[in-house]
Amino acid sequence: MVAALYLAEKYTERESSYPHYITVLNLTDIEFPITFKNISKFERLNMVSINVYGIENKQVLSLWLTDDKKEKHINLLYLQDSHNDNLGHFACIKNLSRLMSSQITRKKNKNFLRSKINDCANRLPSKNDKWLEFGNHCNKERVPFIVYADLECILRKTESEDNALSYVYQRHEALSTGYYVRCAYDDTLSSNSVDEGCIRWFAQQLNDLAHRVKNIISANVPMETLSKQQWEAYCSATRCHICEKPFAPDDTRVRDHCHLTGRYRGPAHSNCNLNYKNSFYIPIVFHNLSSYDAHFIIKEIATAYEGHVV
């Protein structure tokens, strides 16, 4: 402990290079030889935090991890006495990375271990909650509207300046833009268009589309009247059609329907039905956007109208 807290500049192997432990450590009510049960008390008395590691089958294992890592932190290695099973020795670990590197990688490069290993806790799932499951059930529905678009360009020759040693002899110029709006539930609301007005025209088209779609999605179409077969299926249903889990005796069961068409979709838990919402975003699938087309259109789209591009 003293060697870790008071580093010696030279002769680190000599006891005389360090202050005597009685003069620098508070050992009130500490029993000797010190055991693991005394570590917490030692930490509080000396305002330090301690991690203890051991070696088993040539693997470094954690034997004690502090609950409150402090500015003064020490890593110790606990070694069992080869002649006495009831006796062990603590040694200061100067470089934990070097000690553990052989079991992490065969390379001789330096390994950086997490310095805040004690600031987190392992929380294991219980027997009743041990499976990962899909929770964003609203993503099971198709988005009401989606746009597929593409941009075509040409190479326009440029004139060189007088006495110029080098110049840009060609520049890319947007020529035309085409897009297709697909409605998932009504083909009459789908459309496509191509125009040579290009970027400004395309930005205005998206603006107009956003306003049209907002008016359509904001409408709440009442649920259609259920047929006899639908009523019978609803009353006899044992599972929610959204989360696909069974209904419990005390669950509130509701009739889920599409607010855009009024179509009955199936029986559902009340909470599932409330969270099963339509998307208010219009995805735009743009061919080769990130590699080329983006610099032609992003500035115009981002500044042409209110709202934001995700």
Side-chain angles (χ1 to χ4, degrees):
M1 293 296 300
V2 177
L5 293 172
Y6 301 92
L7 300 178
E9 295 183 359
K10 59 181 180 179
Y11 306 123
T12 57
E13 75 282 359
R14 297 181 182 178
E15 184 178 345
S16 59
S17 299
Y18 307 97
H20 196 274
Y21 69 93
I22 295 179
T23 63
V24 293
L25 298 179
N26 187 344
L27 302 174
T28 305
D29 297 328
I30 298 294
E31 299 177 359
F32 285 87
I34 294 180
T35 58
F36 283 90
K37 67 178 183 179
N38 297 128
I39 293 179
S40 295
K41 184 187 296 185
F42 184 90
E43 288 180 318
R44 292 193 299 270
L45 291 173
N46 294 276
M47 295 300 294
V48 298
S49 57
I50 300 171
N51 283 348
V52 182
Y53 299 88
I55 297 178
E56 183 177 338
N57 298 326
K58 298 183 180 181
Q59 296 291 309
V60 179
L61 307 173
S62 57
L63 303 179
W64 170 277
L65 295 178
T66 182
D67 294 328
D68 181 20
K69 189 173 182 181
K70 294 181 173 59
E71 183 177 353
K72 292 182 179 179
H73 179 74
I74 299 169
N75 293 317
L76 296 178
L77 180 66
Y78 180 78
L79 300 172
Q80 192 74 36
D81 193 297
S82 58
H83 302 290
N84 188 344
D85 292 339
N86 297 321
L87 186 64
H89 303 277
F90 292 96
C92 174
I93 300 176
K94 292 185 177 180
N95 192 321
L96 183 61
S97 171
R98 184 177 297 174
L99 178 65
M100 300 184 67
S101 62
S102 62
Q103 69 187 61
I104 297 174
T105 178
R106 293 184 179 180
K107 297 181 180 179
K108 296 182 179 181
N109 299 331
K110 184 176 181 180
N111 297 290
F112 294 90
L113 305 178
R114 289 181 58 183
S115 60
K116 294 185 178 181
I117 189 171
N118 307 103
D119 294 342
C120 61
N122 293 325
R123 298 183 61 184
L124 300 177
S126 63
K127 291 183 178 179
N128 297 327
D129 185 25
K130 61 182 179 180
W131 302 108
L132 292 175
E133 59 182 15
F134 178 71
N136 296 324
H137 300 294
C138 59
N139 292 340
K140 292 166 60 177
E141 284 289 311
R142 290 181 178 272
V143 291
F145 292 89
I146 185 171
V147 175
Y148 301 93
D150 194 12
L151 176 71
E152 299 297 334
C153 297
I154 61 172
L155 291 175
R156 186 82 67 183
K157 291 184 178 181
T158 60
E159 300 294 333
S160 64
E161 298 180 0
D162 295 338
N163 301 322
L165 296 178
S166 62
Y167 70 99
V168 177
Y169 67 94
Q170 287 180 330
R171 62 184 175 88
H172 292 245
E173 183 178 299
L175 176 64
S176 64
T177 308
Y179 71 93
Y180 169 57
V181 181
R182 167 65 178 166
C183 179
Y185 64 91
D186 188 349
D187 285 338
T188 63
L189 297 177
S190 301
S191 63
N192 60 76
S193 184
V194 179
D195 193 89
E196 295 183 2
C198 214
I199 306 304
R200 184 169 297 180
W201 169 84
F202 181 59
Q204 186 60 47
Q205 290 291 304
L206 293 181
N207 186 19
D208 295 342
L209 175 64
H211 287 287
R212 292 200 310 272
V213 169
K214 181 180 179 181
N215 293 332
I216 295 172
I217 294 180
S218 299
N220 190 351
V221 179
M223 183 172 55
E224 63 186 12
T225 303
L226 270 64
S227 66
K228 181 180 178 180
Q229 291 79 6
Q230 288 175 324
W231 260 115
E232 291 176 350
Y234 169 75
C235 295
S236 61
T238 59
R239 290 183 177 272
C240 171
H241 90 97
I242 296 175
C243 70
E244 300 179 2
K245 292 182 179 180
F247 291 114
D250 56 343
D251 283 340
T252 301
R253 185 188 308 189
V254 298
R255 293 166 291 162
D256 174 56
H257 79 285
C258 174
H259 290 207
L260 299 176
T261 64
R263 177 178 56 85
Y264 169 71
R265 291 189 290 211
H269 293 109
S270 178
N271 289 337
C272 292
N273 177 251
L274 291 174
N275 294 323
Y276 207 49
K277 300 176 181 178
N278 289 318
S279 172
F280 283 83
Y281 287 95
I282 306 175
I284 301 178
V285 181
F286 211 106
H287 177 257
N288 203 32
L289 180 69
S290 61
S291 299
Y292 181 75
D293 293 342
H295 68 278
F296 289 106
I297 65 172
I298 291 300
K299 182 178 179 179
E300 185 70 30
I301 292 175
T303 59
Y305 50 88
E306 294 182 0
H308 60 280
V309 178
V310 180

